[in-house]
Amino acid sequence: GRRAELHKMAAAGAEAAAEEEKRLPEGDPESGGDSDDEGDSDSSGDGEDEEKENEAEIQRLEEQLSINAFDYNCHLDLIKLLRQEGELVKLRRARQKMSELFPLTEEIWLDWLKDEIKMASEISEREKVYELFERAVKDYICPEIWLEYAQYSIGGIGQEGGIERVRSIFERALTAVGLHVTKGTALWEAYREFENAILETAQPAPGSIPSPEQQQVLCSQLEKIHTLFRRQLGIPLLDMEASYAEYEEWSEEPIPEATIKNYKKALQQLEKCKPYEEALLGAETPKLAEYQAYIDFEMKAGDPARIQLIYERALAENCLVPDLWARYNQYLDRQLKVKELVLSAHDRAVRNCPWTVGLWIRYLLAMERHRVEHSIISEMFEKALNAGFIQATDYVEIWQAYLDYLRRRVDFTQDSSKELEELRSAFARAVEYLKQEVEERFSESGDPSCTIMQNWARVEARLCNNMQKARELWDNIMTKGNAKYANMWLEYYNLERAHGDTQHCRKALHRAVQCTSDYPEHVCEVLLTLERIEGTLEDWDAAVQKTENRLARVNEQRAKAAEKEAALAKQEEERAEQRKQARAEKKASKKAKKTRIGDKRKADEDDEGEWGQEEELPSKRHRGEGDGVLPEEDMEVESGLFGRSEKPDGPAIPKEKASTSRRDIPKVFHDSSKDKVTVFVSNLSYTMAEPEAKLRELFGSCGEVVEIRAVFNNKGTFRGYGYVQFKEEEAARQALALDRTAVEGRPMFVSPCVDKNKNPDFKVFRYSTTLEKHKLFISGLPFSCTKEELEEVCKAHGNVKDIRLVTNRAGKPKGLAYVEYENEAQASQAVLKMDGLTVKDHVIKVMISNPPLRKLPDRPEPGRASLALAPRQIYGARGKGRTQLSMMPRALQRQSNPVAKAENGMVQNSPAASSEPPAEPKKMSNADFAKMLLKK
């Protein structure tokens, strides 16, 4: 009877599988009548067209993957299309390829498993499904996959050993996810239901007396169910009160005190976990901060199984966060130290984040720590080299880690061994790899100091007693541009000192004295110290002469550099003075000319009284000419300056009106006490018609605007910048968000109002200037490329958060852009796919955003000019350009520190050198100066 019941359960499982098989694949049309009789010809044609389009798309995706097999999204699109078209063989092959490269998500695995279960009818096919389940449960911790695995195995209980197999799978599932607070209960209940079904089959027929063997089976089965209840009630799980009530109802005996005690303890622990579970439930994906808080809580509790579970849960939703993998692997390496568990976690880490060199290095160390075969470690290292790191230095690090491993394998007590030859061969390959592969890709080897060659030389000298090979390596290092650095020579000298001889030490120091350019005094001191301790009189004399000659040349070169710098500064000071005098003379001549025009205007007015008519004088700038059309009030200002008493095609302007022109308005000095509620606005168009009104309109949404001070020149023309003062600080902070907003075709710059004289180091730049692994820098774009067009290209490789097209001050594109992705993985994939892509006949270059540091020349102290500070290094390779002239107003320059100091290529005048022309007294406004000339 028991065997018959088992066969019934197996038949039920097979029947369920058959029902699943009858279901049509996703996307297939529903079955209906004969298409020839009832189908519509148009819809049939549309279906054929769609099928052809899908086939073409499948072919395109397959070709794309043949070019770049690591295109994750391309794999997903191909699998979706093949599943829709019912191409089962191709679908299985596509899934297989993707699973070899990437860990698959829970949804992908469940779709794959359900498709394979539909087609598995024979025993051999069922075994393949079991193998697929085993692969699926290794990628991520997925309660749903474990539950599906256990339920599928129940369909095979009719086979030999079927029941024990089901129990084994359930036990493994409980070990993996049985502690899951919110999803563990479903597995415990499924396990108990299975054991209850077995209990039903073990019951004797009604009216019969069970035999001793049957009684023993019944007692054993009952004990299994009791044990499951007791185990579950000792674990903090959601809705465990219902499980306790179910146990009370099911059990014919009182619940043991030990079980009740464990149950109450689990309830208390559940209350502590609930806040973290509720935080996860209410948070948005990826919930990294909430998971980190939960991990910290479990780490304090110290239960290894629960710590491992919460890490696995966090990684299932944050699989592309390298730091999370690193912390998890570190915990496993230092605490659990279980080989299978540790190596599995490291393998999943590098499959999820292959671009992170630190994860590969930890994996190699873990494999060595657990004594994995050398061939497997070497194979893993080769995979790391093909992982596509994003920095040249990453390749140096992975090579160094592998070379360290190879060095630890060598027994240096033997003169020669296979391991030693492999180490030397690897050192040579590393040097060549960095020179060829890495330098070709990144335009740098990533190892400018030749650290790998230095370590090779140390191994040869210290462990192999092969000083000759070490000297050859150091000679190669010095020829790569390192001979000018004192620290490199001293590193070699220390190696010779420890493992070489005095003669080679002396020779190295003599060469160092001759070649070093950064710290020659230090090298000279080391040479004299060597000769003082070990040298003969002749050696001492030679060393003294060598160092004195070298230092004399160094001091002479430094003195010449200082003289050149002083002469250059003096020349610039003279030029500045000449320019200043020329401007003053030009200004005075303009004032005199305006005075004469004013006299003529007076005479014309007298003529008008005589003749009753005024002859209109030509304006300096007419409407529609020059930079743009002047507003009416600006034209009034101009007519007052140049003697016109009438606007074009308008009534006469009274003379009193001219006195209200902008040049006659008293200068309003900046109030630095209101800097916190003020923003500085610049790069606006000079032709802006109503600057104050326009700025008030732009910044009105940020908060209450107290005052707007647009800056105009003497002619009343807007100078493109001004100040916006708010009532509250918060409004000023919100106004900064409008930085780079396009206004009349130009990017408007909005920055905090900061006095540069008091804060000379203050810089306003809203974007990061350091390495950002989730952001791309794209160059070579066509100038006509829009933000929307670039986004269309980039979004195929990940979720684009922001795109910034770089423009000049006039708002014209420069062919450069920054693209920010959601994470590092998407950015890395985009680099691999987009670098070298053609956009509108332009080949673009794509790389991870890592702007080079701006190297500003150090300012030498007076009397201590540096030898390396040559004039070209002060002003750049092409000398001083026009853009290096100071843009500080002259009035502010006169108020600054009177000490002559070169700054931004402009020398500020000292009191002795600054002589103002008689026509321009100090501290006199433009209006006062004009009045003075008019009086004269």
Side-chain angles (χ1 to χ4, degrees):
R2 181 186 177 204
R3 178 62 62 185
E5 287 295 327
L6 291 176
H7 278 295
K8 286 181 181 179
M9 292 178 67
E15 185 178 353
E19 289 296 326
E20 286 287 333
E21 187 175 3
K22 290 178 181 178
R23 294 174 57 191
L24 292 171
E26 181 181 349
D28 280 358
E30 295 184 5
S31 58
D34 190 353
S35 60
D36 292 335
D37 297 333
E38 301 176 7
D40 184 81
S41 59
D42 292 337
S43 61
S44 176
D46 293 341
E48 291 178 2
D49 292 341
E50 183 179 355
E51 185 177 348
K52 289 181 180 179
E53 290 178 2
N54 289 341
E55 289 178 359
E57 181 66 11
I58 289 172
Q59 185 176 357
R60 187 192 68 80
L61 291 171
E62 288 175 341
E63 292 175 356
Q64 183 68 26
L65 289 173
S66 66
I67 299 172
N68 178 18
F70 288 92
D71 190 336
Y72 189 88
N73 293 327
C74 195
H75 280 285
L76 291 180
D77 294 341
L78 179 61
I79 289 172
K80 182 179 179 180
L81 269 178
L82 290 174
R83 193 164 190 250
Q84 181 179 331
E85 292 296 310
E87 297 280 353
L88 299 180
V89 177
K90 289 184 177 181
L91 177 61
R92 182 180 294 166
R93 186 165 59 243
R95 284 167 166 165
Q96 180 67 27
K97 287 182 179 180
M98 185 178 183
S99 67
E100 291 172 358
L101 296 173
F102 303 101
L104 304 185
T105 63
E106 181 180 13
E107 293 77 15
I108 297 175
W109 272 119
L110 287 173
D111 287 342
W112 189 358
L113 289 166
K114 288 176 182 177
D115 289 344
E116 294 292 343
I117 288 173
K118 294 174 189 176
M119 296 183 289
S121 56
E122 302 295 332
I123 295 178
S124 59
E125 293 174 343
R126 289 184 62 85
E127 289 300 321
K128 291 181 180 178
V129 176
Y130 282 125
E131 293 175 4
L132 199 60
F133 268 114
E134 289 296 328
R135 290 174 54 193
V137 297
K138 290 178 181 178
D139 275 354
Y140 299 110
I141 180 170
C142 298
E144 287 80 1
I145 293 180
W146 275 111
L147 187 59
E148 188 77 21
Y149 189 9
Q151 290 175 343
Y152 178 73
S153 66
I154 293 176
I157 59 175
Q159 301 172 11
E160 184 176 354
I163 294 179
E164 294 306 318
R165 185 173 199 170
V166 174
R167 284 175 175 157
S168 172
I169 292 172
F170 267 119
E171 287 295 334
R172 289 172 56 204
L174 292 180
T175 302
V177 294
L179 299 178
H180 199 297
V181 176
T182 57
K183 298 183 179 180
T185 303
L187 272 169
W188 287 99
E189 291 178 350
Y191 196 0
R192 287 203 317 273
E193 288 298 322
F194 169 73
E195 293 294 353
N196 274 317
I198 299 297
L199 178 64
E200 292 296 326
T201 62
Q203 295 287 351
S208 62
I209 300 174
S211 65
E213 292 80 7
Q214 288 178 327
Q215 191 67 34
Q216 184 178 359
V217 170
L218 281 172
C219 292
S220 174
Q221 190 61 29
L222 284 171
E223 184 59 31
K224 283 186 174 67
I225 299 174
H226 274 290
T227 303
L228 282 175
F229 267 118
R230 292 166 187 168
R231 287 169 60 189
Q232 179 182 356
L233 292 175
I235 299 171
L237 297 172
L238 204 63
D239 204 21
M240 60 186 305
E241 295 89 348
S243 300
Y244 183 81
E246 183 182 349
Y247 186 29
E248 282 185 316
E249 182 182 352
W250 180 86
S251 178
E252 298 177 355
E253 303 173 0
I255 299 177
E257 288 296 326
T259 303
I260 296 175
K261 183 178 179 181
N262 291 335
Y263 168 69
K264 291 181 179 179
K265 185 178 179 181
L267 272 177
Q268 293 175 356
Q269 192 172 359
L270 178 63
E271 290 302 316
K272 296 178 181 178
C273 295
K274 272 186 177 179
Y276 299 98
E277 293 291 346
E278 290 171 357
L280 288 174
L281 190 62
E284 295 182 0
T285 305
K287 312 176 185 178
L288 185 59
E290 289 77 12
Y291 272 119
Q292 188 57 56
Y294 206 163
I295 290 170
D296 294 339
F297 164 74
E298 293 292 0
M299 290 289 284
K300 291 179 181 177
D303 186 344
R306 298 192 65 81
I307 293 172
Q308 180 191 353
L309 176 68
I310 192 59
Y311 262 120
E312 290 285 357
R313 288 177 62 185
L315 287 166
E317 295 192 56
N318 298 274
C319 58
L320 300 179
V321 180
D323 290 342
L324 187 59
W325 281 108
R327 291 194 295 270
Y328 181 41
N329 289 337
Q330 185 181 65
Y331 171 77
L332 296 178
D333 287 334
R334 296 180 179 179
Q335 302 297 327
L336 296 187
K337 301 180 182 180
V338 180
K339 179 179 178 179
E340 292 76 13
L341 185 61
V342 169
L343 295 183
S344 172
H346 280 288
D347 183 70
R348 288 184 292 138
V350 297
R351 290 177 67 200
N352 276 286
C353 308
W355 65 90
T356 308
V357 68
L359 297 178
W360 287 99
I361 292 174
R362 290 185 178 90
Y363 194 8
L364 294 177
L365 289 171
M367 295 175 80
E368 181 185 3
R369 198 175 292 120
H370 291 282
R371 305 185 185 282
V372 176
E373 293 182 10
H374 171 61
S375 60
I376 298 177
I377 296 179
S378 298
E379 182 181 350
M380 190 58 59
F381 167 71
E382 295 297 333
K383 287 184 179 180
L385 285 183
N386 296 320
F389 300 132
I390 58 180
Q391 294 184 95
T393 52
D394 292 345
Y395 288 93
V396 179
E397 292 180 29
I398 193 66
W399 267 111
Q400 193 58 65
Y402 183 60
L403 292 168
D404 292 345
Y405 157 71
L406 293 179
R407 194 266 308 160
R408 289 189 285 267
R409 295 182 69 242
V410 179
D411 181 6
F412 289 100
T413 59
Q414 302 178 11
D415 293 337
S416 179
S417 65
K418 179 181 178 182
E419 290 80 7
L420 178 58
E421 293 306 315
E422 184 178 5
L423 174 62
R424 284 172 171 159
S425 175
F427 267 119
R429 183 188 167 201
V431 173
E432 188 65 20
Y433 186 92
L434 294 177
K435 180 181 178 182
Q436 298 293 335
E437 302 289 336
V438 177
E439 195 164 345
E440 179 180 349
R441 179 180 171 188
F442 296 97
S443 301
E444 59 166 326
S445 67
D447 191 17
S449 299
C450 302
T451 54
I452 287 181
M453 293 182 70
Q454 287 189 48
N455 290 332
W456 188 3
R458 293 187 189 104
V459 169
E460 294 289 354
R462 298 177 185 177
L463 302 177
C464 301
N465 298 318
N466 188 355
M467 198 61 205
Q468 183 59 37
K469 179 64 176 178
R471 292 183 185 116
E472 292 176 5
L473 290 169
W474 267 104
D475 185 65
N476 194 2
I477 291 171
M478 291 304 184
T479 59
K480 293 184 180 295
N482 292 304
K484 58 185 176 181
Y485 300 117
N487 66 314
M488 300 295 288
W489 283 108
L490 294 180
E491 187 70 31
Y492 172 46
Y493 165 74
N494 290 331
L495 191 69
E496 280 285 1
R497 193 76 172 147
H499 307 285
D501 53 61
T502 305
Q503 187 61 32
H504 281 91
C505 288
R506 181 177 290 112
K507 183 178 179 181
L509 289 177
H510 275 274
R511 288 181 61 195
V513 169
Q514 182 178 354
C515 299
T516 301
S517 61
D518 55 352
Y519 298 105
E521 294 90 347
H522 188 37
V523 175
C524 292
E525 184 180 349
V526 174
L527 175 58
L528 293 175
T529 302
L530 173 68
E531 301 301 359
R532 180 174 282 112
I533 301 299
E534 299 186 23
T536 63
L537 178 59
E538 290 78 9
D539 295 331
W540 173 260
D541 289 340
V544 170
Q545 183 179 359
K546 183 103 174 177
T547 56
E548 286 180 350
N549 291 340
R550 174 60 176 159
L551 292 178
R553 289 198 303 271
V554 168
N555 292 330
E556 183 181 352
Q557 291 172 353
R558 288 175 176 170
K560 287 182 179 179
E563 289 176 2
K564 287 182 180 179
E565 183 180 359
L568 188 63
K570 186 177 180 181
Q571 290 176 6
E572 187 59 32
E573 183 179 353
E574 292 174 352
R575 290 172 186 162
E577 184 63 27
Q578 292 173 2
R579 288 194 296 268
K580 188 173 183 179
Q581 292 178 358
R583 285 195 298 268
E585 293 172 359
K586 186 176 180 181
K587 190 173 181 180
S589 65
K590 284 184 178 180
K591 296 289 185 181
K593 183 177 179 181
K594 290 175 184 176
T595 304
R596 291 195 297 270
I597 294 175
D599 294 340
K600 184 175 181 180
R601 174 177 174 271
K602 199 169 185 181
D604 289 342
E605 288 175 351
D606 295 338
D607 292 341
E608 183 183 358
E610 181 178 355
W611 298 98
Q613 181 178 338
E614 178 186 2
E615 185 179 350
E616 189 175 298
L617 294 176
S619 172
K620 186 173 182 180
R621 179 167 56 184
H622 293 279
R623 182 179 293 270
E625 296 179 356
D627 296 334
V629 179
L630 288 173
E632 289 186 5
E633 60 267 30
D634 287 343
M635 296 180 71
E636 291 175 5
V637 170
E638 202 165 36
S639 65
L641 289 174
F642 293 97
R644 292 176 60 186
S645 60
E646 184 176 282
K647 290 193 296 183
D649 303 326
I653 303 173
K655 288 194 292 183
E656 291 79 13
K657 184 105 181 206
S659 64
T660 63
S661 63
R662 297 191 184 277
R663 60 174 295 174
D664 291 332
I665 295 175
K667 181 180 287 188
V668 179
F669 293 95
H670 179 68
D671 186 357
S672 60
S673 64
K674 298 179 180 179
D675 283 352
K676 292 185 178 180
V677 294
T678 305
V679 294
F680 177 66
V681 185
S682 60
N683 201 46
L684 299 170
S685 174
Y686 288 0
T687 61
M688 185 176 287
E690 294 284 349
E692 292 93 342
K694 184 68 174 178
L695 292 177
R696 190 174 296 276
E697 177 186 346
L698 288 169
F699 291 95
S701 60
C702 301
E704 183 178 348
V705 178
V706 175
E707 183 183 8
I708 293 179
R709 299 192 298 278
V711 179
F712 296 84
N713 63 12
N714 294 332
K715 301 175 184 178
T717 304
F718 181 46
R719 298 187 64 182
Y721 65 91
Y723 301 86
V724 180
Q725 180 183 330
F726 295 91
K727 186 176 181 180
E728 299 176 352
E729 284 187 42
E730 180 61 29
R733 282 193 291 270
Q734 291 184 16
L736 296 176
L738 297 178
D739 184 38
R740 315 252 169 192
T741 301
V743 179
E744 297 187 4
R746 296 172 64 90
M748 174 180 67
F749 298 159
V750 184
S751 59
C753 192
V754 176
D755 188 351
K756 293 293 187 70
N757 290 331
K758 296 179 181 178
N759 301 275
D761 297 329
F762 178 79
K763 300 291 182 185
V764 179
F765 192 69
R766 61 185 291 189
Y767 304 106
S768 173
T769 57
T770 58
L771 173 67
E772 295 179 281
K773 295 183 179 181
H774 65 292
K775 186 179 291 186
L776 304 184
F777 172 68
I778 304 178
S779 60
L781 289 168
F783 291 165
S784 60
C785 181
T786 64
K787 183 176 180 179
E788 291 74 17
E789 291 172 341
L790 183 58
E791 182 178 9
E792 192 67 27
V793 175
C794 297
K795 71 180 183 182
H797 315 300
N799 186 15
V800 178
K801 294 181 66 178
D802 184 40
I803 292 180
R804 176 166 64 96
L805 294 177
V806 182
T807 62
N808 59 17
R809 295 180 69 89
K812 303 299 182 182
K814 300 174 69 174
L816 309 174
Y818 289 91
V819 180
E820 181 180 356
Y821 279 95
E822 196 170 57
N823 52 54
E824 299 175 20
Q826 295 176 359
S828 300
Q829 291 297 321
V831 170
L832 293 174
K833 291 194 64 176
M834 293 173 56
D835 189 30
L837 188 69
T838 301
V839 177
K840 293 185 177 180
D841 297 329
H842 284 66
V843 178
I844 64 173
K845 188 174 183 181
V846 184
M847 63 189 72
I848 296 295
S849 176
N850 188 17
L853 296 176
R854 294 182 178 270
K855 297 182 179 179
L856 299 176
D858 296 331
R859 294 221 156 271
E861 297 178 9
R864 293 189 61 184
S866 171
L867 172 65
L869 195 60
R872 281 187 179 275
Q873 289 172 308
I874 298 174
Y875 297 112
R878 297 173 181 249
K880 179 172 70 62
R882 293 183 181 178
T883 58
Q884 291 173 303
L885 293 176
S886 174
M887 301 304 293
M888 184 183 295
R890 293 188 295 277
L892 294 181
Q893 288 180 358
R894 290 196 294 273
Q895 295 169 10
S896 61
N897 194 335
V899 178
K901 181 178 180 183
E903 191 169 325
N904 292 333
M906 186 73 177
V907 179
Q908 298 180 11
N909 299 320
S910 64
S914 176
S915 58
E916 298 293 333
E920 188 180 7
K922 290 185 178 179
K923 298 183 180 179
M924 181 177 289
S925 68
N926 292 332
D928 293 336
F929 187 80
K931 290 177 181 178
M932 181 187 71
L933 287 178
L934 289 172
K935 287 178 182 178
K936 290 182 179 181

